[in-house]
């Protein structure tokens, strides 16, 4: 179910089948991330890092990236790269 929550968030963020709203995507990403989906955690980290749909908050972005980086696969690698990039900020 976690990937489905991430997909619902993407639908809201991109306006696929519903109105386009980054803010409406956040609860869906959070549901997916809370269920252990690293892709959803990466999307949350990116949203907080860039202030997309939420107030910009680099500490929160780091926490979501760290949660994703703890996993395996492509999303975890993306999260590790994002954390490296944030070290330069």
């Amino acid at each position: 179910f976690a990937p489905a929550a991430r997909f619902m968030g993407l639908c809201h963020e991109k306006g696929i089948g519903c109105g386009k709203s980054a803010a409406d995507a956040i609860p869906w990403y959070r549901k997916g991330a809370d269920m252990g989906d690293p892709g959803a955690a990466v999307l949350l980290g990116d949203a907080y890092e860039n202030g997309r749909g939420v107030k910009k908050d680099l500490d929160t972005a780091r926490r979501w990236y760290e949660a994703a980086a703890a996993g395996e696969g492509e999303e975890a690698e993306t999260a590790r790269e994002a954390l490296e990039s944030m070290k330069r900020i």
Side-chain angles (χ1 to χ4, degrees):
F1 295 110
R6 175 177 22 127
F7 180 72
M8 288 298 297
L10 286 168
C11 287
H12 282 278
E13 187 168 356
K14 305 297 182 191
I16 301 168
C18 57
K20 186 175 182 179
S21 170
D24 289 344
I26 299 302
W28 288 106
Y29 293 154
R30 186 168 286 119
K31 284 179 188 185
D34 287 345
M35 288 188 275
D37 180 35
V42 167
L43 289 166
L44 269 176
D46 185 65
Y48 278 101
E49 182 181 2
N50 296 294
R52 197 178 61 256
V54 291
K55 182 180 176 190
K56 186 173 182 172
D57 183 336
L58 297 180
D59 290 332
T60 301
R62 280 187 188 91
R63 283 196 303 273
W64 285 115
Y65 285 142
E66 287 167 356
E72 296 180 15
E74 187 176 323
E75 291 93 352
E77 182 59 31
T78 298
R80 287 189 281 276
E81 290 170 5
L83 284 166
E84 274 302 309
S85 175
M86 288 184 78
K87 286 181 181 178
R88 294 180 225 130
I89 296 175

